[in-house]
Amino acid sequence: MYNGGKIILGLIVFIGLMAAPFIFGLGKGNAKPNPSIDTPAIKAMEKKQCVEAKAVMKTEHMKMLNDWRDSVVRDGKRLYVATDGKKYDMSLQNTCMKCHSNKAQFCDKCHIYVGAKPYCWDCHIAPKEGA
Amino acid sequence: MGMYVAFLAVAGLIVLAFLGVQAAGLHFLFGALIPYIAFFLFVIGFAYRVFLWGTSAVPFRIPTTAGQMQSFPWVKSNKFDNPSNGFGVVIRMALEVLLFRSLFRNTKSEIHDGRLIHGSDKWLWLFGLMFHYSFLIIFIRHFRLFLENVPGFILIIESLDGFFQAGVPFVYLTDLMLVAAATFLFARRVLLPQIRYISMAADYFPLFLILGIAISGILMRYFIRVDITGAKQVIIGLVSFQPAPSAEVGVIFYIHLFLVSTLLAYFPFSKLMHFGGVFLSPTRNLANNSRMVRHVNPWNPDVHVHTYAEYEDEFRDKMKKVGIPVEKE
């Protein structure tokens, strides 16, 4: 081999980089982030139901919040009619956070897990917790 | 012809993954087995290819000379385009790998008013660079889904990539650039007759495959959204060797994963090996020192030579006898 040392070194670096996620992942459990819905407002609900179905909220909540913001800020329309016909006030702080008052235990759980940094709290006042 | 074969192949892969996951419910096959096999093929195949190249003989210096070679001190030499030492080679390789220096020199010849004109043609360089850097950033970005605790630098790259905060989730600039650049690379193969003539299925297939990966990823993020937390769990399951592909994550995720697996498995057998090959190009990575160092071919046979001096020693008497002049009396 010509320049064998350098080639082997390059290959070791390559394999090391490729194996890195596996090395970091080794021995770690596959813990699922468990957003808590254990808040007084949700406990008091008879039927625990968000604005839309859970599966929809999981994948579409960011789009819904964005649409709500556009509707409220640009058109001044605050009324949201859900698929089941229920009416809601389009408001992050007064509707969403009324039930999900536990930002650290709910929102942040998944957002931190997947590295998402939504900019809700650039404008809104983040709830004070632990009180 | 090759283009249609390649297109059908990629379309077939997408249909295969869709049917396999959606209709047959083979989540474990598409979500664990195939990715593992593909990754294994990629790493081992890549390393084996590079090792094979490493065993080829490189007895002489064969760099392409793209500038004045070093000779007399009063002749100005080009240290990086025609390097004569290791440092110059490192710079040359860095320029080549990071900035595609040789593609930057791309030229095009056209006939204008009956005259042949040679001119610079930087479009391929520009879009090639855009394509590769977008791909690299997208690759790095994906590690937020491969590492349980996301390192800060990945979050910084991600926030820069979504700098304009357009749409929800933020539109990544690299997503747009990758698709634009890959489309350019495809369009050039179709629209330029000369390039079209030399393009084969093996040229179109990786392009379609990468476009398929990009588009499925974009669909998954912005249009047919999947539960990203569930997707990350599947991936973390893979890297922690506790695969648990979930049926709850949408089928588009499995199509994306299957196309990526195909790319990985295909990589070592294809032109994509230029990733490893660029580092092992003897026309780039050798110092042009042929006039300073004598490079002897190590497997030269030991040729027995009979020099004139020896010849004269052997025949001096006979030469003198017949009057042939000799050098040594």
Side-chain angles (χ1 to χ4, degrees), chain A residues 59-60 63 66 113-114 119, chain B residues 144 165 168 225 232-233:
Chain A
T59 59
E60 304 297 329
K63 187 172 177 295
N66 200 43
Y113 182 67
V114 300
Y119 58 6
Chain B
R144 79 183 170 110
Q165 301 194 332
V168 173
R225 263 185 285 274
K232 177 163 180 175
Q233 242 199 307

Side-chain angles (χ1 to χ4, degrees), chain A residues 70-126:
Chain A
D70 288 356
S71 167
V72 168
V73 175
R74 294 181 191 166
D75 306 330
K77 290 179 185 156
R78 285 194 162 268
L79 186 73
Y80 180 77
V81 183
T83 320
D84 62 2
K86 273 193 188 167
K87 293 187 174 113
Y88 293 93
D89 183 27
M90 290 189 198
S91 168
L92 173 67
Q93 277 172 262
N94 297 331
T95 305
C96 305
M97 304 304 285
K98 193 180 77 193
C99 294
H100 299 291
S101 51
N102 50 347
K103 174 176 173 286
Q105 292 302 312
F106 185 75
C107 310
D108 294 350
K109 282 273 169 165
C110 290
H111 288 163
I112 289 172
Y113 182 67
V114 300
K117 277 201 247 170
Y119 58 6
C120 309
W121 314 107
D122 285 7
C123 304
H124 288 280
I125 297 162

Side-chain angles (χ1 to χ4, degrees), chain B residues 262-283:
Chain B
T262 310
L263 185 72
L264 286 177
Y266 174 69
F267 203 99
F269 307 98
S270 70
K271 64 186 278 197
L272 301 172
M273 273 307 291
H274 68 267
F275 174 27
V278 67
F279 295 99
L280 275 85
S281 305
T283 54

Side-chain angles (χ1 to χ4, degrees), chain A residues 21-34:
Chain A
F22 293 94
I23 293 164
F24 284 118
L26 253 181
K28 288 214 181 118
N30 193 0
K32 187 181 177 177
N34 201 8

Side-chain angles (χ1 to χ4, degrees), chain B residues 110-137:
Chain B
E110 274 176 0
I111 292 178
H112 279 287
D113 303 328
R115 287 177 62 203
L116 186 63
I117 308 282
H118 305 281
S120 165
D121 185 19
K122 306 255 187 272
W123 290 107
L124 182 59
W125 170 80
L126 182 69
F127 280 94
L129 203 66
M130 198 162 119
F131 175 81
H132 283 82
Y133 271 102
S134 297
F135 207 116
L136 176 68
I137 291 171

